[in-house]
Amino acid sequence: MLPIDAAAHSSRWRRRHPVDKAVLGLGLTVLAISLPPWPGAALVLVTAVSLLLGPAGVPGRRLWRAYRVPLGFCVTGALTLLVQVGGPGSFVSLADDGPLRAGELLLRTSAASLGVLLFAFTTPMSDLLPRLVRAGVPAPVVDVALVTYRMSFLLLDSVRRIRDAQAARLGHTTRAATWRSLGGLGATAFVRAFDRAARLQAGLAGRGYDGTLRVLVPEARVSVRFTVASCALLATLAVLTLVLERPLT
């Protein structure tokens, strides 16, 4: 199980309906994209971090380990705005408004990433995917996504075990040995994944699989109070941004 999925299963909002958390998490993402980056995205970023570490109960270290990956993409994208190519003085030079545009892009993307992480850290995929059928997504599409999601954990576990075995046999001591071990890792992982898929198909056929996977989904109802509070928070952030935009700029 991935660390972010393990955190979602142990979240304080684990029993809440996915719609409740989607309104809040994805609403923050929409605000980060649509509001002015300063102070709108900054307010969204602070709010998302406060919700994650506070009411949602996400450990700070686990949040940072998940956040640093999208943050790296945000920083990489922002750095490209600092320079311009083909200017009159030289082929590559600093852009006139590069720092401002880079800062705005970094604020928007980092705040939007936290909104998505708020939803991911509180909603296990096993709760979300089966409910997509009720939302109108075709059942075969959801079944394929559900099986792929569960098989990915088995594949990652197999890869980890193979790597540990190769390391124990000094398979990464030299560059040649590393490349040789990497080839063996890919070949063995493919064979094991193919074998697990075949056994999964045989098991489903033995249980009378008729094209639809039936899984138990924890009962949960949409909380009107939580949804209204989320909408009120999002509206407050939007109004506060419009009020503070002129004085702060």
Side-chain angles (χ1 to χ4, degrees), residues 23-43:
V23 171
L24 181 58
L26 302 184
L28 289 174
T29 301
V30 172
L31 287 184
I33 296 173
S34 58
L35 289 177
W38 177 259
L43 289 174

Side-chain angles (χ1 to χ4, degrees), residues 4-25:
I4 192 170
D5 204 60
H9 278 280
S10 59
S11 171
R12 295 173 185 169
W13 292 350
R14 163 74 168 79
R15 301 299 177 187
R16 290 196 174 278
H17 197 281
V19 172
D20 297 344
K21 295 168 281 189
V23 171
L24 181 58

Side-chain angles (χ1 to χ4, degrees), residues 32-124:
I33 296 173
S34 58
L35 289 177
W38 177 259
L43 289 174
V44 171
L45 189 147
V46 172
T47 304
V49 171
S50 302
L51 290 173
L52 280 163
L53 299 180
V58 178
R61 178 176 296 181
R62 189 168 291 180
L63 173 62
W64 168 245
R65 292 185 63 182
Y67 183 50
R68 63 186 179 183
V69 177
L71 184 61
F73 285 102
C74 298
V75 172
T76 304
L79 288 178
T80 59
L81 299 179
L82 295 177
V83 297
Q84 62 180 2
V85 179
S90 61
F91 180 70
V92 178
S93 60
L94 291 176
D96 295 334
D97 56 348
L100 176 62
R101 296 174 59 192
E104 292 178 350
L105 178 64
L106 186 59
L107 268 178
R108 283 188 187 278
T109 52
S110 57
S113 301
L114 283 173
V116 176
L117 285 179
L118 176 62
F119 181 72
F121 264 109
T122 54
T123 309

Side-chain angles (χ1 to χ4, degrees), residues 149-197:
Y149 176 70
R150 292 183 176 179
M151 288 291 292
S152 63
F153 295 119
L154 298 176
L155 182 60
L156 290 175
D157 182 66
S158 297
V159 170
R160 182 183 60 80
R161 291 174 183 270
I162 295 170
R163 284 183 59 86
D164 291 344
Q166 289 176 341
R169 294 168 184 168
L170 304 180
H172 301 286
T173 52
T174 63
R175 180 174 298 179
T178 301
W179 281 107
R180 188 165 51 251
S181 298
L182 186 62
L185 172 65
T188 307
F190 174 77
V191 172
R192 290 195 178 186
F194 194 82
D195 178 65
R196 286 183 181 275

